[in-house]
Amino acid sequence: MIYTITLNPALDRTLWVSEIKEDVSNRIIREESYPGGKGIDVSKVLTALGVPNRALGFIAGFAGRQLEAQLTRDGTDCSFIPVSGETRTNVVIHELGSGRQIILNSAGPEVKPFELLEISDLVRKIEEPEFVSIGGSLPPRAHPEVYRKIIETAKLRRAKVVLDVDREALLVGIRGKPDVIKPNIHELSALVGKRLEKRGEILEAAREINRRGVGIVLVSMGPRGILLVSEGKAYQAVPPEVEVVNTIGAGDSSVAGFIYGLVAGRDLKEALIWATAAGTATTLRQGTALATREDVERIVPQVRLETISED
Ligand SMILES: Nc1ncnc2c1ncn2[C@@H]1O[C@H](COP(=O)(O)OP(=O)(O)OP(=O)(O)O)[C@@H](O)[C@H]1O
Ligand SMILES: [Mg+2]
């Protein structure tokens, strides 16, 4: 089974208005709410690709129940731990007249230290974990060591662990030696404390992370695709040029595409191609909508793979 972990999930609420005027009541033309958060995005794309998976994490209040109900309705199994407070709602307002997008992000509920421990207890008990994919921000005031503990617990269960987090959480998390991380260039650059511009510099930084015990480093580079660096092997997969609608969730979709490839028994190169195609497929969708299976399958043969080294 594949498990995803989102410690601070969100309900992403999108509102469409024709124009925002101050001090009057503005009419909402359309509104939608979807479950969000990086691990949950991975679950949604895995489900779209036909891979059974289960979403874990913390939910709270009415928004949390709604998030769980929608995920379940759309085909993703859930085992969330309920906590007090209210799951955050992130709001995106589309102003149709101007094309402006206003994004309001909330911090989410605090999760108490003893509740944070419950997630490792849950990981200790999950059945036959093949992959555990961890993503997104921490609840307010939670210490990044939580990620390291989850990773170590999942590895004791012999799961392959994928970590997609940033800043302090990434720095501390990799001490737990996840099998795969998927930083973008800014995240990798912050991790090694160097500016990374040329491909050679990015490769060297990724190799440094390999030496710190992370088997596979996937560096996503937007339209330039993804670099995979693992010991002596290095490949770059480059997506076709597409008309990008919205890149929200592209990186999370790449994580799902990579897991999909490996679960389907493909080699690293093919999994990398699927990762790249899944990210690009998400850029074709509006707002927070993610890749469809149809788009991913159509893009896969259009991804170009370059072998940089293979010893
Ligand atoms: N402009 C684009 N054109 C084509 N493909 C793209 C574009 N932007 C992103 N992608 C695809 O999505 C993948 C992941 O995107 P990106 O590198 O932006 O991830 P990220 O910064 O982690 O994104 P996220 O906001 O989801 O965290 C890329 O490697 C690429 O395959
Ligand atoms: Mg990302």
Side-chain angles (χ1 to χ4, degrees):
M1 186 56 134
I2 320 294
Y3 295 86
T4 67
I5 299 182
T6 316
L7 298 185
N8 192 17
L11 208 53
D12 287 329
R13 185 165 171 80
T14 309
L15 308 174
W16 284 263
V17 297
S18 48
E19 190 189 355
I20 297 186
K21 290 191 208 132
E22 286 167 39
D23 299 325
V24 294
S25 143
N26 296 284
R27 198 168 68 84
I28 296 169
I29 297 168
R30 186 176 147 208
E31 53 186 300
E32 282 173 15
S33 288
Y34 296 108
K38 287 187 172 297
I40 285 173
D41 283 351
V42 173
S43 269
K44 284 161 66 177
V45 175
L46 284 172
T47 302
L49 293 172
V51 182
N53 68 92
R54 185 173 282 272
L56 315 179
F58 298 106
I59 54 166
F62 176 75
R65 293 295 294 190
Q66 190 180 339
L67 180 152
E68 182 176 30
Q70 276 183 264
L71 261 187
T72 309
R73 181 201 63 194
D74 296 341
T76 298
D77 290 333
C78 305
S79 293
F80 288 112
I81 298 170
V83 293
S84 53
E86 187 76 19
T87 287
R88 65 197 169 124
T89 297
N90 292 332
V91 179
V92 180
I93 305 171
H94 287 293
E95 197 183 40
L96 293 170
S98 66
R100 271 198 317 162
Q101 232 188 121
I102 298 159
I103 303 175
L104 305 169
N105 278 352
S106 142
E110 244 181 63
V111 178
K112 298 185 187 69
F114 77 89
E115 291 169 324
L116 284 168
L117 287 177
E118 283 180 29
I119 195 86
S120 303
D121 293 343
L122 186 59
V123 172
R124 209 168 283 125
K125 284 185 270 181
I126 52 181
E127 276 170 41
E128 297 180 29
E130 191 178 347
F131 279 89
V132 172
S133 188
I134 306 162
S137 61
L138 285 160
R141 291 155 50 101
H143 196 280
E145 278 289 338
V146 174
Y147 280 137
R148 173 173 163 170
K149 180 137 178 73
I150 297 170
I151 295 164
E152 287 172 351
T153 309
K155 287 187 67 172
L156 282 174
R157 299 291 321 279
R158 299 185 184 279
K160 293 248 178 297
V161 180
V162 184
L163 182 68
D164 182 16
V165 298
D166 63 5
R167 285 172 274 188
E168 180 81 7
L170 182 57
L171 189 69
V172 174
I174 63 168
R175 295 191 194 131
K177 301 190 170 52
D179 299 275
V180 183
I181 62 169
K182 194 227 60 68
N184 59 32
I185 296 181
H186 307 293
E187 290 158 353
L188 181 63
S189 168
L191 183 61
V192 295
K194 284 183 203 140
R195 271 183 62 175
L196 304 172
E197 274 157 18
K198 300 200 187 77
R199 188 169 81 174
E201 294 168 342
I202 302 169
L203 283 171
E204 190 36 55
R207 289 200 176 103
E208 183 191 323
I209 304 304
N210 283 159
R211 287 192 291 272
R212 290 197 215 167
V214 181
I216 299 172
V217 179
L218 299 173
V219 189
S220 70
M221 308 180 294
R224 288 154 66 202
I226 306 179
L227 269 177
L228 180 153
V229 184
S230 177
E231 293 156 23
K233 298 192 190 80
Y235 311 102
Q236 182 173 351
V238 183
E241 258 183 53
V242 294
E243 276 210 27
V244 173
V245 178
N246 196 316
T247 62
I248 297 175
D252 313 335
S253 307
S254 290
V255 170
F258 192 67
I259 294 174
Y260 170 83
L262 295 182
V263 169
R266 323 235 172 172
D267 64 11
L268 283 185
K269 286 194 255 189
E270 276 201 72
L272 175 61
I273 290 173
W274 278 84
T276 307
T280 301
T282 282
T283 69
L284 306 177
R285 299 274 140 196
Q286 270 192 0
T288 54
L290 302 172
T292 63
R293 181 177 186 129
E294 199 187 8
D295 281 343
V296 182
E297 285 177 344
R298 186 170 51 78
I299 295 169
V300 162
Q302 300 176 49
V303 176
R304 187 170 54 80
L305 187 99
E306 187 189 335
T307 299
I308 301 163
S309 67
E310 214 162 34
D311 36 73

